[in-house]
Amino acid sequence: MTTILAVRRGGTVAVGGDGQVSMDKTISKGDARKVRRIAGGRVIAGFAGGTADAFALLERLEGKLEQYPTQLTRACVELAKDWRTDRALRRLEALMIVADGDTTLMLSGLGDVIEPETEEGGGVIAIGSGGSFAQAAALALLRHTDLSAEDIVREGLKIAGSIDVYTNDRVTLETIGAAGATGEGEAR
């Protein structure tokens, strides 16, 4: 499993994920990149679950974004419909968080397309084995600090990694700013 965390604050959305890949009780890899840009860099996507399944879904999402280039929600709803009803897609086991300059969504194979509840100053959503820990930490930081979205993601993932055995401290982070400016970075 893994942990993916998205935080929106001050006109910026940051999506980060750890790099651990586990098979049963063994760590197979520590520096996997589970957060990436799609749709020409306009959308950030993070995934938890089966890697091959997630890549198949990312490819499908890119196709939907070509059909609906400025409508992330519509593209995600269309993907969720396919994921839920298509016989081959139904077997795919993954969760995804996607975000652009305006919208953050969580998608599941159950047909869920969930937008995080808006908190004062931003919004938070997380998936994966350490998702609950990361989300709780991020909500506390959002409510009680002035940290940036990027810093909240880094700290939330760090806290999740100290609790969840399937989450490590090798973080990949992507951001999209208010004016569509993008940033990419690896945590230390």
Side-chain angles (χ1 to χ4, degrees):
M1 285 298 282
T2 194
T3 302
I4 305 295
L5 174 62
V7 175
R8 188 172 293 274
R9 175 179 243 180
T12 298
V13 64
V15 180
D18 76 299
Q20 185 164 303
V21 176
S22 304
M23 296 183 83
D24 194 28
K25 298 175 188 168
T26 306
I27 297 170
S28 302
K29 183 175 181 172
D31 63 351
R33 187 172 163 77
K34 301 173 199 167
V35 175
R36 56 193 65 230
R37 291 186 172 281
I38 60 173
R42 295 184 331 264
V43 175
I44 303 168
F47 60 86
T51 305
D53 293 353
F55 283 128
L57 291 166
L58 284 173
E59 189 175 296
R60 287 283 185 123
L61 179 57
E62 286 205 88
K64 297 295 182 187
L65 286 166
E66 286 175 13
Q67 281 182 277
Y68 311 105
T70 60
Q71 301 174 57
L72 179 62
T73 302
R74 172 105 188 255
C76 289
V77 167
E78 294 300 322
L79 174 63
K81 281 194 234 177
D82 291 351
W83 193 355
R84 178 88 172 134
T85 59
D86 183 273
R87 195 177 187 122
L89 288 178
R90 253 194 322 242
R91 290 179 164 59
L92 300 182
E93 295 184 18
L95 291 169
M96 293 178 23
I97 290 179
V98 295
D100 65 9
D102 301 315
T103 306
T104 305
L105 300 167
M106 187 275 293
L107 289 78
S108 81
L110 299 174
D112 298 318
V113 178
I114 299 170
E115 188 169 16
E117 196 170 300
T118 303
E119 292 289 319
E120 186 175 322
V124 175
I125 198 160
I127 57 173
S129 60
S132 297
F133 306 120
Q135 186 166 352
L139 284 168
L141 291 166
L142 183 68
R143 291 176 184 162
H144 301 290
T145 72
D146 291 329
L147 291 173
S148 68
E150 184 176 346
D151 289 338
I152 291 172
V153 168
R154 286 185 197 284
E155 196 59 31
L157 288 170
K158 181 178 175 183
I159 291 167
S162 71
I163 300 169
D164 178 47
V165 297
Y166 296 105
T167 302
N168 70 12
D169 61 357
R170 295 190 188 164
V171 173
T172 301
L173 184 86
E174 297 280 350
T175 61
I176 296 176
T182 60
E184 172 182 1
E186 303 279 329
R188 301 160 267 303

